[in-house]
Amino acid sequence: MIDSNDIIEKLEKRLRTFGQEPKMQNVGKIEKITDEVVIASGLSLVKMGEIVLFKNGAEGVILNLAEDNVSIIVLSPTEDLREGDTVKSSGRMLGINASKELLGRVVDPRGNPLDGKSKIKQGTLMPLEHIAPGVVEREPVNTPLKTGIKAIDGMVPVGRGQRELIIGDRGLGKSAIAIDTIINQRQAGKNQKEVICIYVSIGQKQSRTAQVISKFKEEGAMDYTIVVAADSSDPASLQYLAPFAGSAIAEYFMNQGLDVLIAYDDLTKHAWAYRELSLILRRPAGREAYPGDIFYLHSRLLERAVKLNKKNGGGSITALPIIETQADDISAYIPTNVISITDGQIYLKAELFNLGMRPAIDVGNSVSRVGGAAQTGAMKSVASQLRLELAQYRELAVFAQFGSELDPTTAASLERGRRTTEILKQPQYQPLEEPLEVLSLFAVENGFLDDLPIESIAQFEKEYHDYVKIHYKKIIDKLKTGEKINEETSKQIKSATAEFKKIFTSGKK
Amino acid sequence: MNKKTLKKLITISITKNSLDPKKVEKIANVLSQKELKEYVRAIRDWEQRKKVVIISPKALTRDVINKFKKMFVDKKVINNIDPSLVVGLKIINNDLVYDLSFKNTLKNLTNASQGTL
């Protein structure tokens, strides 16, 4: 309940500082309106990125400063604006109000609620454009961010503070990886520092964004997630600002020492929106009609994902940018730009998707430049050889197609590879806790699945997890610590696995 | 039409620091529609830069106007009346607006209280 004394105190404070506010305003006149861009004369004292106010209450932001005029992108529909209307400078730079109240909310890049709930109360005004922390303020990535996806946590691990690109053609499950990672953070608070999640929807269909939000609510992920949405029906200006708004909110939480995960879905549409604005602003078009600073657009955004050292709070922002390719072409302009910026990529291939391998991660072309530093000891124990084994399997699989006779060792490697591939398959919206991931990979690495039919592996895995959770809780607790699997733990897991396998196979007969 | 040409046209159009109607007419007759539009805009800008508008609730005395003339040398001082300002002044100098009126103070106070609440 609002105390009337508080209100009076605030008003009195305002009155005391009242005379100190500048009474000078810089004004201009609209000369031209082109789509979402307004060209105005005057406004000689405005700064780049400053907010300006139109007669109808709409806001715009300065994007071009020329000798005689300024170009303003309007952040709301331009139907009410006319040539000759006055436009005033506000003295404010573009920012978004950030506070803990944003958790569980869906907002637009200006911070206006889109979920039908009350307006977000005054928080800290975070600038949308902000220079990334310098080298001295950072420390190397050393804490895992668990996605709950076996293939990623095992072979392409992501750490807190890393930028890991998710790249692939449309419909291969790029957003699914980001969504599963967000859902998996509900586990984070239990054993490690909790992770605040931000999902930035750029240029997507509203129905799709609604579906994603609904899934977050269903899985209980909305409690720690913020959705920033600029859908396909929104002006290009809002789509351009959306990732920066998400980043600004992430910085608010990071400055409090928290870890944040931000997914940009997707930066291809962000590049399109920026190209649209730049062409309207008559900036010179370069390759594929993108403006010359398209690289800088994404590099300055992604550089804000950082792991701060303890002296600066120890918080982090982990970025999962998504890029959509056309016909598996990762050598196109925007994909190569973003690949060179990020600390690794998760490459999804259509061929694998069509073969039923989901998530369709091409392990050969996927990489995490942080690597083992983002893995726990337990995961390293079981996953260290995985990538190599799969690479060998892929090589051997080519020869097996010719139907030639294979020696027993090669045949065994092939069978092991098939089972490893099978165990790495995972249904959508079912991220796993790390202990269960470790158990699955342990089982396949130690040959427990070698004599099982491939079609029964999925069922085996499910029942195996349930069995260990019920009968060998101590193993789960040990694996939760993340410590390297010692001999004793290894024996226990082997014993439990063998025991379950006996039950499983006898039940199957 | 480039900026240099426009500037030249404006210079030609001025006699004794004010626009010469005959010269403006002559120039207007030889310009195309697009060029004429640019020329009109340039003249308007020039006029805007050459004057200072002082808006007050009542007519200003000659002394006050002379003080403003000393402050804004080389500019024409124009006094407009707007009783809704109540008290104070509003000074418009090209694209700079100094709103020192009571009306503006009240408006800011209202905005500030809404923001607080």
Side-chain angles (χ1 to χ4, degrees):
Chain A
M1 199 169 136
I2 302 167
D3 185 20
S4 49
N5 283 332
D6 285 338
I7 300 169
I8 294 167
E9 233 178 81
K10 278 179 185 163
L11 278 172
E12 280 177 350
K13 191 179 173 188
R14 282 263 176 190
L15 281 169
R16 275 196 295 274
T17 57
F18 204 67
Q20 294 160 20
E21 282 163 25
K23 292 180 176 68
M24 186 194 76
Q25 237 175 3
N26 196 204
V27 299
K29 198 173 65 171
I30 296 178
E31 300 291 345
K32 192 173 168 185
I33 304 174
T34 316
D35 292 324
E36 303 130 25
V37 176
V38 167
I39 313 289
S41 59
L43 291 170
S44 53
L45 300 181
V46 291
K47 299 182 209 93
M48 191 71 165
E50 188 175 333
I51 295 179
V52 294
L53 307 164
F54 295 96
K55 217 165 142 180
N56 62 354
E59 287 184 341
V61 64
I62 304 284
L63 262 204
N64 248 18
L65 295 172
E67 194 184 339
D68 295 329
N69 58 55
V70 297
S71 302
I72 304 162
I73 52 162
V74 190
L75 301 175
S76 47
T78 55
E79 289 101 32
D80 293 340
L81 298 176
R82 301 274 181 274
E83 190 190 330
D85 280 355
T86 312
V87 53
K88 300 178 193 175
S89 69
S90 66
R92 293 179 281 127
M93 300 304 283
L94 202 52
I96 187 167
N97 250 329
S99 69
K100 283 209 165 86
E101 279 200 28
L102 278 171
L103 291 171
R105 301 298 302 269
V106 183
V107 295
D108 74 2
R110 299 291 291 123
N112 301 315
L114 297 175
D115 49 10
K117 295 181 187 167
S118 62
K119 202 169 156 69
I120 314 286
K121 282 193 197 133
Q122 195 83 11
T124 308
L125 190 69
M126 300 299 293
L128 258 55
E129 289 279 4
H130 183 241
I131 296 173
V135 173
V136 175
E137 293 158 284
R138 299 175 185 234
E139 69 176 17
V141 173
N142 53 26
T143 315
L145 179 101
K146 294 159 196 175
T147 64
I149 299 168
K150 286 170 279 185
I152 297 174
D153 291 342
M155 293 178 288
V156 197
V158 180
R160 296 187 188 198
Q162 188 178 350
R163 293 89 46 93
E164 185 78 5
L165 171 66
I166 304 171
I167 185 168
D169 279 4
R170 57 179 171 79
L172 296 186
K174 301 182 295 297
S175 303
I177 289 177
I179 292 165
D180 280 354
T181 306
I182 290 174
I183 291 171
N184 196 48
Q185 299 320 306
R186 66 186 166 200
Q187 329 265 13
K190 296 173 191 169
N191 305 312
Q192 285 180 297
K193 212 157 93 174
E194 68 163 341
V195 178
I196 306 288
C197 298
I198 301 170
Y199 180 79
V200 183
S201 170
I202 309 157
Q204 305 292 336
K205 289 182 285 198
Q206 287 190 18
S207 58
R208 197 171 164 282
T209 309
Q211 211 175 10
V212 170
I213 294 165
S214 164
K215 190 38 84 174
F216 285 156
K217 283 182 182 162
E218 200 181 302
E219 301 291 337
M222 210 58 199
D223 298 337
Y224 53 82
T225 302
I226 300 159
V227 177
V228 179
D231 298 314
S232 52
S233 56
D234 286 327
S237 50
L238 284 181
Q239 292 183 37
Y240 160 67
L241 293 174
F244 295 104
S247 204
I249 297 170
E251 281 167 346
Y252 168 78
F253 289 103
M254 180 182 71
N255 292 343
Q256 297 180 5
L258 296 171
D259 289 337
V260 187
L261 166 66
I262 181 164
Y264 301 106
D265 192 2
D266 60 66
L267 290 186
T268 310
K269 292 190 178 57
H270 182 235
W272 292 352
Y274 187 58
R275 176 172 59 185
E276 188 180 320
L277 288 173
S278 300
L279 289 171
I280 293 170
L281 289 167
R282 304 283 188 168
R283 289 177 179 172
R287 181 177 164 185
E288 292 179 29
Y290 288 106
D293 62 346
I294 192 72
F295 184 94
Y296 180 54
L297 172 75
H298 291 144
S299 65
R300 73 179 189 267
L301 173 71
L302 294 172
E303 273 298 304
R304 289 161 78 174
V306 65
K307 172 91 177 85
L308 293 177
N309 55 28
K310 286 188 178 39
K311 193 178 163 191
N312 289 285
S316 71
I317 299 175
T318 308
L320 293 179
I322 294 174
I323 287 281
E324 185 179 296
T325 52
Q326 304 293 328
D328 276 343
D329 184 16
I330 56 168
S331 61
Y333 189 28
I334 302 298
T336 47
N337 275 359
V338 184
I339 286 170
S340 64
I341 294 167
T342 52
D343 305 317
Q345 67 273 355
I346 296 166
Y347 179 39
L348 301 174
K349 222 168 164 181
E351 194 187 316
L352 296 171
F353 187 87
N354 295 334
L355 286 170
M357 176 75 198
R358 293 167 201 189
I361 297 172
D362 179 351
V363 179
N365 282 325
S366 301
V367 72
S368 166
R369 300 185 207 194
V370 168
Q375 276 182 321
T376 57
M379 184 56 82
K380 263 191 239 184
S381 310
V382 294
S384 53
Q385 296 301 310
L386 208 56
R387 195 186 255 272
L388 182 64
E389 283 174 9
L390 280 173
Q392 286 171 345
Y393 163 65
R394 280 195 305 275
E395 292 284 320
L396 290 172
V398 173
F399 290 105
Q401 282 179 354
F402 294 106
S404 48
E405 278 200 31
L406 302 163
D407 60 282
T409 318
T410 310
S413 295
L414 272 172
E415 289 303 315
R416 175 68 64 85
R418 284 192 189 111
R419 279 150 184 80
T420 308
T421 307
E422 193 62 28
I423 206 83
L424 290 176
K425 289 181 185 175
Q426 197 166 340
Q428 199 178 356
Y429 308 135
Q430 291 180 31
L432 291 174
E433 286 182 288
E434 195 184 61
L436 300 180
E437 291 181 320
V438 170
L439 284 173
S440 295
L441 295 176
F442 186 96
V444 75
E445 284 294 296
N446 286 277
F448 285 99
L449 308 183
D450 288 352
D451 51 352
L452 285 178
I454 292 196
E455 36 304 335
S456 68
I457 285 174
Q459 195 189 351
F460 175 90
E461 188 191 16
K462 189 176 179 304
E463 290 177 17
Y464 171 49
H465 288 165
D466 292 338
Y467 185 82
V468 176
K469 274 195 273 188
I470 295 166
H471 299 282
Y472 290 94
K473 201 173 173 301
K474 276 187 184 164
I475 293 177
I476 301 286
D477 292 340
K478 192 84 199 342
L479 292 174
K480 269 184 185 169
T481 62
E483 284 167 16
K484 190 178 172 181
I485 298 174
N486 54 26
E487 233 181 275
E488 194 198 326
T489 313
S490 176
K491 264 191 197 158
Q492 287 174 355
I493 300 173
K494 279 180 183 169
S495 161
T497 313
E499 194 181 298
F500 171 73
K501 188 178 171 185
K502 216 173 174 180
I503 299 168
F504 182 79
T505 45
S506 63
K508 280 272 160 208
K509 281 174 191 163
Chain B
M1 217 183 341
N2 61 31
K3 284 185 195 123
K4 213 174 173 181
T5 317
L6 260 176
K7 239 180 175 170
K8 240 181 180 172
L9 282 176
I10 300 294
T11 317
I12 298 165
S13 311
I14 298 165
T15 310
K16 288 182 186 175
N17 216 25
S18 59
L19 284 171
D20 187 330
K22 281 183 187 166
K23 288 182 182 174
V24 169
E25 182 74 31
K26 258 187 188 170
I27 291 167
N29 284 337
V30 299
L31 294 175
S32 68
Q33 190 187 16
K34 190 183 171 193
E35 288 167 343
L36 185 61
K37 213 174 175 182
E38 288 174 27
Y39 177 59
V40 165
R41 196 175 290 151
I43 286 179
R44 214 184 277 138
D45 286 345
W46 179 84
E47 279 274 354
Q48 182 85 355
R49 281 194 298 273
K50 277 278 142 191
K51 70 180 180 193
V52 168
V53 177
I54 317 285
I55 306 172
S56 54
K58 286 181 185 170
L60 295 173
T61 61
R62 193 165 278 185
D63 281 340
V64 172
I65 292 180
N66 286 337
K67 276 184 185 166
F68 277 114
K69 279 183 180 169
K70 279 181 189 168
M71 234 190 291
F72 299 100
V73 179
D74 292 337
K75 289 204 180 191
K76 195 175 165 187
V77 176
I78 297 167
N79 179 210
N80 288 344
I81 314 295
D82 181 4
S84 69
L85 297 184
V86 185
V87 165
L89 291 174
K90 189 170 172 180
I91 304 166
I92 303 173
N93 178 18
N94 198 13
D95 63 349
L96 294 173
V97 176
Y98 300 89
D99 199 334
L100 307 159
S101 66
F102 185 62
K103 180 183 175 186
N104 187 48
T105 307
L106 272 179
K107 188 176 145 201
N108 287 345
L109 192 59
T110 317
N111 290 342
S113 352
Q114 277 172 355
T116 308
L117 293 170

